[in-house]
């Protein structure tokens, strides 16, 4: 943001700061940092220095906008210098490509002549190919005896310079090359200082407060579930209505839907129960805009409360309820989980990565990713709750209250530090080609163990082990 305009005017005097009056003074670490131009009185030494200062002649170099050593400020002249370097680099690149094409033709001529002499490319071409991750083979490959070059990025063998050119122009190589450049950049990002962390901690706390579900919000949603339960129990014998999803786990946002699970007895027919629930909700004055979505993959009834909460009622969603109960226990173990969890969930919403119908991820996947990351730390922030459970009863989650009461973490990182490490872990620290995200065990789980052949990100559903939550990701 631009700085506010400086106060101008002849004879304006700077008012001395009032002790104890901090209404207009920004707090330390606040952002943006507004600059206030304050006229200052010059000392006698400075006035003498100004009078004795020699005017700059036209022959002297212009240093006014030069970048000081160690400074992070980029000036106009720096930009012009970088632009000049880029323009100079373009002809050099074309020259080396022309030289590469000439040497490729010479190599082909030598191969056609069938001479015993082996063509050796110039140092310039060797450097050019090294920039494309292509290197000459030190020893011949037994599997590819004609190959003379090897791409360390794609693990691909090439016979000659012409094949090397075909390879580095290939779409797959270009994509992997761009990915490698991004990874290299991420690896060399500077570490944040204390000021950065303070600002980020403040921002995360603000996001949690403004976007996350407070205790009162969770109580209101629980009251909605109780109200619907009381209403439907009068018309559907033996039924129960319970919360699941983010309204139960706590990882949700203020604008998230209220997910309700309708449980019926074994002797009742599901379709008749849903039709009856639709009829009862439609006739009730407490609920508005009641509509069915029975043709969807998971048949639901959508409606609004008089207070404006959007609700969805589904039938026998047992596994989702178990997962939500598990995440609720993780959410309650450490306040940093709530702060980072809400911010991560909000980030996913802003970048539209939590829309499964559009080919991204189910919303609760981000809570699982966060829990997994916190479990994998050198000093874990969270335990693996599944290690406290009875293995003979995996389908029903019963909170191990006594076991969790004794859990104490040795990790003292702030929410800001965990937030930065979370994105570093997911971007360059986690080998998604080999590993599966699983919060059911404290160690690593490989694709080979799961017998999953995917090379993309894979997240295991805690209560449906064969289900990959990332199966909806589109290329």
């Amino acid at each position: 943001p631009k700085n506010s305009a400086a106060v101008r005017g002849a004879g304006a005097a700077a008012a001395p700061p009032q002790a104890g009056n901090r209404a207009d003074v920004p707090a330390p670490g606040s952002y943006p940092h507004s600059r206030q131009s304050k006229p200052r009185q010059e000392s006698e030494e400075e006035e003498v220095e100004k009078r004795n200062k020699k005017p700059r002649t036209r022959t002297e170099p212009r240093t006014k906008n030069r970048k000081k050593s160690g400074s992070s400020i980029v000036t106009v002249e720096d930009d012009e210098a970088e632009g000049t370097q880029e323009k100079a680099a373009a002809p050099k690149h074309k020259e080396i490509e022309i030289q590469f094409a000439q040497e490729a033709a010479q190599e082909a001529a030598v191969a056609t002549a069938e001479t015993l002499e082996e063509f050796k490319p110039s140092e310039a071409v060797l450097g050019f190919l090294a920039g494309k991750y292509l290197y000459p083979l030190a020893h011949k490959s037994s599997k590819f005896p004609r190959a003379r070059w090897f791409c360390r990025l794609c693990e691909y063998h090439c016979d000659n310079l012409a094949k090397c050119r075909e390879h580095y122009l290939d779409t797959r190589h270009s994509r992997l090359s761009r990915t490698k450049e991004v990874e290299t950049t991420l690896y060399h990002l500077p570490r944040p200082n204390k000021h950065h962390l303070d600002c980020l901690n403040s921002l995360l706390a603000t996001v949690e407060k403004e976007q996350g579900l407070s205790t009162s919000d969770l109580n209101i949603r629980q009251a909605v579930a109780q109200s619907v339960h009381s209403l439907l129990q009068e018309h559907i014998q033996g039924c129960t209505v319970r919360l699941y999803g983010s309204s139960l786990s706590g990882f949700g946002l203020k604008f998230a839907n209220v997910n309700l699970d309708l449980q019926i007895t074994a002797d009742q027919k599901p379709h008749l129960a849903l039709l009856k629930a639709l009829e009862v909700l439609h006739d009730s004055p407490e609920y508005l805009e009641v509509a069915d979505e029975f043709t969807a993959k998971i048949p639901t009834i959508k409606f609004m409360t008089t207070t404006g909460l959007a609700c969805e009622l589904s039938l026998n969603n047992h596994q989702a309820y178990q997962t939500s109960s598990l995440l609720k226990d993780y959410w309650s173990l450490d306040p940093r989980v709530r702060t980072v969890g809400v911010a991560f969930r909000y980030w996913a919403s802003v970048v539209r990565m939590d829309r499964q119908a559009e080919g991204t991820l189910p919303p609760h996947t981000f809570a699982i990713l966060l829990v997994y990351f916190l479990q994998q730390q050198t000093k874990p922030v969270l335990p693996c709750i599944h290690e406290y459970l009875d293995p003979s009863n995996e389908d029903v989650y019963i909170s191990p209250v006594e076991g969790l009461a004794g859990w104490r973490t040795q990790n003292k990182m702030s929410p800001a530090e965990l937030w930065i490490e979370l994105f570093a872990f997911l971007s360059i620290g986690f080998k998604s080609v080999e590993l599966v995200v699983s919060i059911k065990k404290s160690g690593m789980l490989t694709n080979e163990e799961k017998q999953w052949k995917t090379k993309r990100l894979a997240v295991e559903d805690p209560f449906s082990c064969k289900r990959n939550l990332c199966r909806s990701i589109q290329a």
Side-chain angles (χ1 to χ4, degrees):
K2 294 182 178 179
N3 297 327
S4 57
V7 179
R8 296 172 183 169
Q18 299 291 331
N21 182 15
R22 302 181 60 86
D24 298 326
V25 180
S30 62
Y31 185 85
H33 309 290
S34 57
R35 294 179 184 172
Q36 298 176 354
S37 60
K38 297 180 180 180
R40 62 182 180 88
Q41 297 178 352
E42 296 178 347
S43 63
E44 293 180 4
E45 291 83 2
E46 288 175 327
E47 289 178 359
V48 172
E49 187 179 349
K50 272 191 173 182
R51 286 196 297 267
N52 295 336
K53 188 176 180 181
K54 293 181 180 180
R56 183 179 59 85
T57 62
R58 291 187 179 182
T59 57
E60 291 176 358
R62 186 182 297 271
T63 58
K64 180 182 177 182
N65 292 327
R66 289 289 172 89
K67 179 179 174 183
K68 294 182 179 180
S69 177
S71 172
S72 60
I73 302 172
V74 179
T75 64
V76 174
E77 293 176 358
D78 292 328
D79 287 339
E80 290 175 355
E82 288 177 5
T84 305
Q85 291 174 1
E86 289 176 2
K87 289 178 182 177
K92 289 182 180 179
H93 185 74
K94 288 182 179 179
E95 288 174 10
I96 191 63
E97 283 192 336
I98 292 171
Q99 183 179 349
F100 179 84
Q102 292 172 348
E103 294 192 16
Q106 293 172 13
E107 183 188 42
V110 170
T112 305
E114 296 183 354
T115 60
L116 296 176
E117 185 180 353
E118 195 173 84
F119 179 81
K120 293 183 179 180
S122 64
E123 291 295 326
V125 169
L126 287 172
F128 174 73
L129 288 176
K132 308 287 186 182
Y133 305 99
L134 284 154
Y135 296 88
L137 283 172
H139 306 283
K140 282 191 176 183
S141 169
S142 58
K143 192 174 181 181
F144 304 98
R146 296 177 59 186
R148 293 187 56 206
W149 301 86
F150 181 71
C151 177
R152 295 179 184 176
L153 185 64
C154 310
E155 297 184 356
Y156 186 83
H157 290 80
C158 298
D159 295 352
N160 49 45
L161 292 177
K163 290 293 183 183
C164 287
R165 185 175 188 278
E166 287 180 17
H167 177 70
Y168 73 69
L169 291 176
D170 183 69
T171 306
R172 180 174 177 269
H173 179 89
S174 300
R175 175 171 52 82
L176 290 175
S177 180
R178 288 194 298 271
T179 303
K180 185 70 173 178
E181 289 173 5
V182 172
E183 288 182 358
T184 303
T185 303
L186 292 174
Y187 269 117
H188 292 89
L189 283 177
R191 302 296 299 175
N193 59 32
K194 185 180 183 301
H195 178 70
H196 294 143
L197 295 174
D198 290 343
C199 291
L200 185 51
N201 274 320
S202 176
L203 176 62
L204 292 173
T206 302
V207 171
E208 180 188 10
K209 182 179 178 181
E210 294 180 355
Q211 305 296 334
L213 293 170
S214 64
T215 304
S216 60
D217 293 329
L218 294 173
N219 291 337
I220 289 171
R221 290 165 182 255
Q222 185 62 55
V224 171
Q226 186 58 44
S227 175
V228 176
H229 168 77
S230 302
L231 177 64
L232 295 184
Q233 203 172 37
E234 298 176 2
H235 301 85
I236 305 174
Q237 188 176 4
C239 78
T240 57
V241 176
R242 57 188 181 181
L243 278 176
Y244 76 95
S246 60
S247 299
L248 177 62
S249 68
F251 280 97
L253 304 175
K254 287 189 183 295
F255 54 79
N257 292 346
V258 180
N259 299 112
L260 301 170
D261 177 34
L262 174 63
Q263 293 283 306
I264 57 175
T265 57
D267 59 334
Q268 292 177 328
K269 295 182 178 180
H271 68 284
L272 294 179
L274 274 177
L275 287 171
K276 188 63 179 177
L278 176 66
E279 179 186 347
V280 172
L281 290 169
H282 191 275
D283 294 340
S284 173
E286 296 181 26
Y287 307 108
L288 312 171
E289 301 178 22
V290 180
D292 68 87
E293 288 195 2
F294 292 159
T295 57
K297 186 177 180 181
I298 299 177
T300 57
I301 300 172
K302 294 188 175 183
F303 58 94
M304 298 279 290
T305 65
T306 52
T307 56
L309 280 175
C311 304
E312 292 185 7
L313 179 71
S314 59
L315 188 67
N316 292 335
N317 217 330
H318 177 73
Q319 290 176 346
Y321 176 78
Q322 306 303 318
T323 302
S324 303
S325 301
L326 173 66
L327 292 176
K328 179 183 179 182
D329 279 348
Y330 279 120
W331 183 81
S332 62
L333 282 175
D334 195 300
R336 293 172 294 177
V337 179
R338 300 193 283 275
T339 304
V340 179
V342 170
F344 194 33
R345 179 69 182 80
Y346 181 63
W347 170 84
S349 175
V350 170
V351 299
R352 301 180 67 86
M353 284 188 64
D354 60 345
R355 291 161 173 78
Q356 187 176 10
E358 298 177 11
T360 54
L361 295 170
H364 70 283
T365 306
F366 295 93
I368 294 175
L369 285 170
L370 173 62
V371 170
Y372 178 76
F373 158 73
L374 296 175
Q375 289 175 338
Q376 300 303 318
Q377 295 300 291
T378 307
K379 294 180 179 179
V381 179
L382 293 175
C384 178
I385 293 182
H386 271 78
E387 294 180 354
Y388 295 89
L389 302 180
D390 183 0
S392 63
N393 192 13
E394 293 185 350
D395 294 335
V396 178
Y397 177 70
I398 301 174
S399 179
V401 179
E402 293 182 2
L404 296 179
W407 166 256
R408 296 291 183 273
T409 178
Q410 301 300 316
N411 192 309
K412 304 301 180 184
M413 295 173 72
S414 67
E417 291 172 308
L418 290 173
W419 175 261
I420 293 169
E421 290 298 322
L422 169 65
F423 280 89
F425 175 78
L426 294 177
S427 57
I428 56 179
F430 180 69
K431 297 179 180 179
S432 58
V433 176
E434 303 172 8
L435 302 175
V436 174
V437 174
S438 173
I439 60 175
K440 293 182 64 176
K441 57 184 295 187
S442 53
M444 298 291 186
L445 179 66
T446 64
N447 276 318
E448 189 177 350
E449 291 178 70
K450 289 290 295 181
Q451 297 183 348
W452 287 357
K453 297 181 179 179
T454 181
K455 291 187 177 182
R456 297 179 182 176
L457 177 67
V459 180
E460 179 190 55
D461 189 315
F463 289 94
S464 181
C465 298
K466 295 182 179 179
R467 184 182 177 215
N468 179 7
L469 294 175
C470 299
R471 69 193 186 284
S472 59
I473 295 179
Q474 296 178 357

